[in-house]
Amino acid sequence: MGLLTRDAILAAPDLATERVQLPEWGGEVLVRGLTAQERDEFDLSCFEGAGRDRRANFANLRARLGARTIVDEAGARLFTDADVAALGGKSGAALDRIYEVAQRLSGLRPRDVEELVGNSRPGPSAASSSGSRSSSGG
């Protein structure tokens, strides 16, 4: 294995997908791992507020991750962030299986969630330049 070039890295097809059987829904879905940017956006969606008002937001977590990772054969998302509430009303068992696969494919580990929770405690500063985000649910 040789030293990679910039072009080789950017051209590498590195997003894994996996089919997940969902008998609750009568079929299967294709789950794709998150890109680094999508992963960062997902991590940010786990918080609300900034500074001393920063708090964890794990509401509809499985649906939020599912909406970002369930894709069609071409790799395009099937759900938008606006679909998260409706998706959250579906089977918890089905979404749990999707969540577990999406976690694995995206490099999310249980300890990452624990770190997010630990980091949600108010910090010493009430100011944050990256604390604003939309409340679109995703």
Side-chain angles (χ1 to χ4, degrees):
M1 214 193 260
L3 190 61
L4 293 168
T5 65
R6 173 193 177 275
D7 291 340
I9 293 168
L10 295 177
D14 59 356
L15 295 177
T17 59
E18 187 173 315
R19 292 183 184 276
V20 178
Q21 295 294 320
L22 301 166
E24 299 88 347
W25 298 348
E28 64 185 19
V29 297
L30 190 60
V31 175
R32 174 184 57 79
L34 296 171
T35 66
Q37 180 178 344
E38 291 168 337
R39 165 73 191 271
D40 290 344
E41 290 169 354
F42 178 74
D43 287 350
L44 283 174
S45 79
C46 292
F47 298 102
E48 293 178 337
R52 294 193 180 278
D53 294 328
R54 187 175 182 194
R55 61 196 170 281
N57 171 26
F58 295 118
N60 237 350
L61 185 69
R62 282 163 178 71
R64 283 192 282 142
L65 186 58
R68 292 169 188 258
T69 59
I70 299 171
V71 297
D72 63 18
E73 292 286 345
R77 285 175 60 173
L78 291 184
F79 298 98
T80 68
D81 291 345
D83 295 320
V84 169
L87 191 57
K90 302 304 294 177
S91 166
L95 283 169
D96 201 45
R97 282 197 300 285
I98 292 166
Y99 181 82
E100 287 177 8
V101 171
Q103 270 188 313
R104 182 171 35 78
L105 295 178
S106 302
L108 287 162
R109 300 157 301 204
R111 78 168 182 237
D112 293 331
V113 174
E114 292 170 12
E115 288 176 12
L116 286 173
V117 171
N119 290 337
S120 71
R121 292 184 181 88
S125 169
S128 172
S129 62
S130 63
S132 65
R133 64 172 203 88
S134 72
S135 59
S136 64

